[in-house]
Amino acid sequence: MPASKIAITIDDKTLKQLDILVKSKFFSSRSNAIQQAVAEKLMRIEKSRLAQECSKLDPKFEQSLAEEGFSSELEEWPQY
């Protein structure tokens, strides 16, 4: 996948913690750690956005859509 270089500013305390993780081989590099963190944050935002959109749905209306035409089909099914 193509990648782009960017410049960021990060506070000293966070950078020291990041460098400890890189030195201990938890991450292969600062770049890798930041890339993973950004990707994870974007995924969490997307999931919460989906949950927010789903919460706008009216369960009764959704149920009525799911069952639309179902009663007429019941009459066509054979008895078992």
Side-chain angles (χ1 to χ4, degrees), residues 58-74:
D58 176 11
K60 289 182 181 178
F61 177 71
E62 295 299 318
Q63 184 71 34
S64 70
L65 284 178
E67 294 174 351
E68 193 172 273
F70 192 64
S71 60
S72 64
E73 290 178 7
L74 284 176

Side-chain angles (χ1 to χ4, degrees), residues 19-78:
D19 283 343
I20 290 169
L21 291 171
V22 172
K23 188 175 181 179
S24 68
K25 307 279 190 227
F26 191 86
F27 294 108
S28 59
S29 65
R30 287 175 172 177
S31 179
N32 176 263
I34 293 167
Q35 188 173 5
Q36 285 186 43
V38 170
E40 184 179 317
K41 183 65 174 185
L42 292 173
M43 187 173 54
R44 286 182 183 184
I45 289 170
E46 189 60 31
K47 283 183 180 179
S48 69
R49 195 174 129 242
L50 176 60
Q52 288 173 352
E53 292 301 317
C54 287
S55 71
K56 295 176 185 177
L57 297 174
D58 176 11
K60 289 182 181 178
F61 177 71
E62 295 299 318
Q63 184 71 34
S64 70
L65 284 178
E67 294 174 351
E68 193 172 273
F70 192 64
S71 60
S72 64
E73 290 178 7
L74 284 176
E75 295 168 4
E76 298 172 10
W77 292 12

